[in-house]
Amino acid sequence: MAETKHNFDIEFLRQLDRYNMAIRKRVSTVYAGNRPSTRIGKGIDTVGYREYYPGDEMKDIDWKAYSRTEKLYVRQFEEEKTLTAHILLDASKSMDFPDGATKKYEYAAMMALGVAYTVSRKNDKFAISTFNENIDINAPKRGMRYLLELTDRLASRELEGATDLDACTYKYEKLIKSRSLVVIVSDFMEDLHHIESSVLRLSGNDLILIQVLDPFEKSLPIKGDSRFFDMETGDEMKTYLSDSFRTNYFKELDNHNAAIDRICKKTGAKFYSFTTDAPVFDSFLQIIDRGA
């Protein structure tokens, strides 16, 4: 068994279980999205026939109909009304903050596990893949056993490297076979052009962006001479935190998040921002309440 590097509050999932009946109704709207009741696709129930076209699968040909008509027909099926949830979790070094308290990664992982757990309760497929400059892809599967397996992987994940959301979503998008739920959990502290490119790339899905920040990043509760270290590059910066510096910092952070929100609204995606001092369960319910 891999070494556990991160701690997750499993009580959060127990809370979801207790509130399962209340949550399910909202989840059917937020996560099931606008899945149609009946569509023509690959499923189990035959709903009609059409003439054979080159490229159709031979196994779908109705040979009994051919024996009667001497024409090739293929069966059409009712599409299985299932959902696949693709969850992308930021595992870059910037998520390894702070020391001695709930790390951004741990909080973000709990949000990711909450989505996976809720989807698994409806027996739909899900996967949690972690990313930094590269993406560690896990295939979508069903079941609680798979959820526990993913939990162990997330708990042993080494946090390292910088974030390249654009490159990672470019690679991952090729694996999404049909309209799905896509959830990205990150601090989203990277170039807005990369974020916009990723959102546009995945906008054909039900897309949710969940930002996780530490309270320190939101309030910057220090003044005077200070030293900062870039967790992704290791670079050190010495500066003096004056009142005007802090004012500009808050303005830049607000502008950054407002820009992400505008990008999401243009494409129908949704953007949420939480800090790690908020109960995970309460934050998760906010996503469901606002989306229902």
Side-chain angles (χ1 to χ4, degrees):
M1 184 175 178
E3 179 187 357
T4 299
K5 297 181 173 65
H6 312 286
N7 296 314
F8 303 139
D9 182 10
I10 301 302
E11 179 60 27
F12 164 58
L13 297 183
R14 295 194 184 101
Q15 284 179 291
L16 289 180
D17 197 38
R18 286 201 299 268
Y19 284 84
N20 190 51
M21 292 304 295
I23 289 173
R24 276 194 179 210
K25 183 177 180 181
R26 295 175 183 145
V27 167
S28 66
T29 300
V30 180
Y31 295 148
N34 40 18
R35 285 185 283 169
S37 58
T38 303
R39 284 167 54 186
I40 302 301
K42 293 297 180 184
I44 56 175
D45 297 324
T46 302
V47 295
Y49 299 85
R50 63 167 173 78
E51 289 190 33
Y52 172 86
Y53 296 109
D56 287 335
E57 296 186 26
M58 297 295 290
K59 65 183 180 66
D60 291 336
I61 294 176
D62 190 307
W63 295 105
K64 290 182 179 180
Y66 173 75
S67 67
R68 294 193 303 269
T69 65
E70 295 186 353
K71 290 184 178 181
L72 292 176
Y73 291 92
V74 295
R75 293 182 291 269
Q76 293 181 295
F77 301 94
E78 179 179 353
E79 186 177 50
E80 296 179 46
K81 297 181 288 296
T82 60
L83 170 73
T84 301
H86 300 271
I87 306 159
L88 309 183
L89 174 63
D90 189 345
S92 65
K93 190 61 178 176
S94 71
M95 300 295 286
D96 194 19
F97 180 82
D99 291 328
T102 301
K103 296 182 184 296
K104 290 192 290 183
Y105 173 79
E106 293 170 344
Y107 193 96
M110 288 304 300
M111 296 294 285
L113 288 169
V115 175
Y117 180 80
T118 306
V119 170
S120 72
R121 296 289 291 180
K122 296 172 71 64
N123 199 35
D124 284 327
K125 291 183 179 180
F126 60 91
I128 303 175
S129 299
T130 53
F131 69 93
N132 42 38
E133 297 109 322
N134 301 300
I135 187 163
D136 183 13
I137 295 173
N138 290 308
K141 297 180 184 178
R142 292 184 175 90
M144 293 303 297
R145 180 178 296 181
Y146 185 49
L147 180 64
L148 293 175
E149 179 184 327
L150 289 179
T151 303
D152 287 340
R153 291 185 196 177
L154 297 183
S156 61
R157 182 65 158 87
E158 188 76 40
L159 303 183
E160 56 188 357
T163 308
D164 193 339
L165 184 61
D166 189 19
C168 292
T169 55
Y170 176 79
K171 182 177 181 180
Y172 196 91
E173 188 267 341
K174 299 177 187 299
L175 306 176
I176 301 176
K177 304 302 182 183
S178 60
R179 182 176 175 86
S180 304
L181 169 67
V182 179
V183 180
I184 306 175
V185 194
S186 171
D187 57 13
F188 291 103
M189 291 299 183
E190 75 165 307
D191 191 294
L192 280 172
H193 294 296
H194 286 192
I195 297 172
E196 182 173 24
S197 178
S198 299
V199 170
L200 292 174
R201 181 176 295 123
L202 297 170
S203 61
N205 301 281
D206 295 322
L207 179 60
I208 300 175
L209 274 61
I210 303 174
Q211 182 187 58
V212 175
L213 298 176
D214 185 80
F216 181 93
E217 296 170 305
K218 291 282 286 187
S219 63
L220 201 62
I222 54 175
K223 291 183 179 181
D225 293 320
S226 304
R227 287 196 305 169
F228 293 92
F229 293 89
D230 188 317
M231 299 190 69
E232 295 185 348
T233 66
D235 293 341
E236 178 183 354
M237 182 184 73
K238 296 180 181 179
T239 188
Y240 181 82
L241 293 187
S242 63
D243 289 337
S244 61
F245 182 101
R246 297 177 74 253
T247 298
N248 289 334
Y249 170 83
F250 296 137
K251 182 179 179 180
E252 289 294 325
L253 180 60
D254 289 344
N255 288 343
H256 182 78
N257 281 0
I260 298 175
D261 192 49
R262 286 195 299 271
I263 291 167
C264 289
K265 285 179 177 176
K266 283 195 303 184
T267 61
K270 295 178 181 178
F271 175 62
Y272 303 94
S273 181
F274 303 107
T275 52
T276 57
D277 57 345
V280 179
F281 181 71
D282 292 349
S283 298
F284 192 77
L285 282 189
Q286 282 188 51
I287 296 173
I288 295 175
D289 283 333
R290 294 179 193 174

